[in-house]
Amino acid sequence: MAKSKDEIWDEWGDRVNMAPQELEDWLETEESKSVGDDDGGESTGHQSGRKIVKIKRTNKDDLTDAQWDHMQKVVGYINRHCAQVPNGDLEDSTWRYSLMNWGHDPLKDDGCAS
């Protein structure tokens, strides 16, 4: 069964824990650009990060269907990756960098707890 927009909005608010400017600044770093799958261009996560910034700066009532779909995709990605926490130091891990490209910093207070 498809989720309602209210359910997507709530999950999005819980999972995407980086502010638009914080995410924009992160996307400019070499660390951000160093992770993710790409075909010689921008990685999927990096593209997603740019879409997330736009969504976060859009009023809920003005979101497009494509943005709602992307929000659901982002929540799914974050949930899957939060279920796969690697061992060792997370601060400089590619796991964390990938999640941050998708708008989620697992080292923040709410971390990967759902």
Side-chain angles (χ1 to χ4, degrees):
M1 181 171 131
K3 292 184 179 176
S4 72
K5 287 184 175 176
D6 285 338
E7 288 173 309
I8 296 168
W9 183 260
D10 289 346
E11 285 185 1
W12 165 268
D14 288 343
R15 297 318 246 160
V16 179
N17 65 4
M18 294 175 73
Q21 188 62 55
E22 181 184 16
L23 180 53
E24 255 182 349
D25 291 347
W26 163 252
L27 292 171
E28 293 300 314
T29 68
E30 286 307 311
E31 292 86 352
S32 168
K33 295 172 186 173
S34 73
V35 295
D37 57 330
D38 64 65
D39 49 15
E42 185 180 30
S43 75
T44 305
H46 208 268
Q47 290 172 11
S48 175
R50 288 187 297 106
K51 289 179 185 176
I52 291 165
V53 169
K54 237 182 205 169
I55 290 168
K56 290 201 73 133
R57 289 190 169 141
T58 302
N59 289 325
K60 181 180 178 183
D61 293 337
D62 296 330
L63 293 169
T64 66
D65 288 342
Q67 287 175 313
W68 282 106
D69 289 345
H70 192 69
M71 290 165 70
Q72 242 183 316
K73 180 179 178 179
V74 168
V75 168
Y77 179 92
I78 293 170
N79 288 341
R80 282 191 311 279
H81 279 72
C82 278
Q84 305 167 358
V85 180
N87 293 323
D89 181 26
L90 301 178
E91 188 164 351
D92 296 316
S93 67
T94 55
W95 174 80
R96 177 180 180 225
Y97 293 169
S98 292
L99 274 167
M100 288 175 69
N101 279 354
W102 288 78
H104 180 83
D105 185 349
L107 298 187
K108 287 193 171 193
D109 289 343
D110 49 358
C112 272
S114 45

